[in-house]
Amino acid sequence: DYQVIEELKSMGIEIIVTDHHEAPEILPNCIRIDPKMSECSYPFKGLSGAGIAYKLGYALIGEKADDYLDFVALATVADSMELIDENRDIVYEGLKIFNSPTKLRLAFKYLLGENVKEITAQTLAYQIAPKINAGGRMGDANCALRLFTQTNPNTIFDLAVKRNEYNIQRQNECDKIYQQARQKKQKHSLHKKHVI
């Protein structure tokens, strides 16, 4: 938000904005990193927001940023970015972390359970991402942050269980809404219309 950025700047806070969307008409007067801006010459325009943040991290801390490629891969897949060019490389490298028994984060291990043999882009999209997003949809967006910032294995396990519960609640809510829509369609004979 332009006004929030200006307010923060008035307090002496330096701002860097990273984004992967089309730039708004009014741009904040700060450092902006967005390959879709017309003045940006970066060759690949299809990075996710996490991909751009990773690039900034790499510029600041070098190869240490690679330790977070599992998060970047997950975000790239969850954001439905095309798996081409750099996105393909990011997901490929991130999946190496997911499939390494010594590098797989405990939070992801608990979210997946014991039955997953190989983690693929489909695993990220259909098993992990929905569980992480479910908390926000069920009113507890901070649960994901807590899950990935804790160090106590018992706490991580409890938070992963909570994410799974949120996901089940979300699925149940979606099923209810779907059934309500079907009933409304039948009640009002909407199935006879060309567009619903």
Side-chain angles (χ1 to χ4, degrees), residues 4 7 15 19 21-22 32 38 49 54 64 75 81-82 91 102 105 118 120 134 136 155-156 161-162 173 180 189 195:
V4 172
E7 186 178 324
I15 306 287
D19 196 5
H21 297 99
E22 300 298 329
R32 298 176 312 275
S38 59
Y54 162 72
K64 286 185 177 184
M81 305 307 294
E82 277 192 283
V91 172
T102 59
R105 294 176 200 276
E118 181 187 11
T120 65
T155 305
I156 295 169
V161 168
K162 188 69 176 167
E173 286 297 314
Q180 288 170 355
S189 299
V195 177

Side-chain angles (χ1 to χ4, degrees), residues 14 19-20 25 27 30 32 34 54 63 83-84 90 101-102 107 117 129 134 159 169 178:
E14 292 183 48
D19 196 5
H20 73 120
E25 285 185 33
L27 293 171
C30 64
R32 298 176 312 275
D34 183 348
Y54 162 72
E63 290 182 6
L83 296 186
I84 59 171
I90 286 168
T102 59
K117 302 294 181 232
L159 288 167
Q169 288 174 12
Y178 175 72

Side-chain angles (χ1 to χ4, degrees), residues 115-183:
N115 297 330
V116 178
K117 302 294 181 232
E118 181 187 11
I119 300 170
T120 65
Q122 287 76 21
T123 312
L124 302 182
Y126 297 110
Q127 293 184 40
I128 298 177
K131 291 174 184 176
I132 293 171
N133 287 333
R137 290 189 169 67
M138 300 312 295
D140 186 6
N142 286 326
C143 185
L145 178 63
R146 291 192 311 273
L147 175 65
F148 293 111
T149 55
Q150 296 298 316
T151 55
N152 181 301
N154 293 329
T155 305
I156 295 169
F157 179 80
D158 291 343
L159 288 167
V161 168
K162 188 69 176 167
R163 303 304 304 180
N164 286 326
E165 290 171 0
Y166 281 145
N167 194 44
I168 291 166
Q169 288 174 12
R170 178 197 60 80
Q171 289 170 333
N172 290 338
E173 286 297 314
C174 286
D175 288 345
K176 272 199 275 186
I177 292 167
Y178 175 72
Q179 291 306 324
Q180 288 170 355
R182 284 182 57 104
Q183 289 169 1

Side-chain angles (χ1 to χ4, degrees), residues 6-152:
E6 290 303 315
E7 186 178 324
L8 291 171
K9 283 178 49 189
S10 73
M11 293 186 245
I13 299 172
E14 292 183 48
I15 306 287
I16 299 175
V17 173
T18 63
D19 196 5
H20 73 120
H21 297 99
E22 300 298 329
E25 285 185 33
I26 301 174
L27 293 171
N29 184 18
C30 64
I31 297 171
R32 298 176 312 275
I33 303 171
D34 183 348
K36 290 189 177 169
M37 290 189 320
S38 59
E39 66 269 19
C40 181
S41 62
Y42 195 76
F44 183 57
K45 308 294 184 192
L47 286 168
S48 69
I52 293 168
Y54 162 72
K55 293 291 184 174
L56 173 61
Y58 198 91
L60 296 173
I61 63 173
E63 290 182 6
K64 286 185 177 184
D66 291 346
D67 294 343
Y68 301 95
L69 277 169
D70 51 346
F71 286 117
V72 184
L74 174 61
T76 299
V77 170
D79 206 11
S80 300
M81 305 307 294
E82 277 192 283
L83 296 186
I84 59 171
D85 205 286
E86 288 186 67
N87 288 341
R88 184 176 176 84
D89 296 336
I90 286 168
V91 172
Y92 179 80
E93 294 300 325
L95 286 172
K96 285 182 184 177
I97 296 172
F98 275 104
N99 285 295
S100 168
T102 59
K103 293 182 179 179
L104 178 65
R105 294 176 200 276
L106 200 52
F108 290 133
K109 181 179 178 183
Y110 289 154
L111 284 172
L112 287 168
E114 298 293 326
N115 297 330
V116 178
K117 302 294 181 232
E118 181 187 11
I119 300 170
T120 65
Q122 287 76 21
T123 312
L124 302 182
Y126 297 110
Q127 293 184 40
I128 298 177
K131 291 174 184 176
I132 293 171
N133 287 333
R137 290 189 169 67
M138 300 312 295
D140 186 6
N142 286 326
C143 185
L145 178 63
R146 291 192 311 273
L147 175 65
F148 293 111
T149 55
Q150 296 298 316
T151 55
N152 181 301

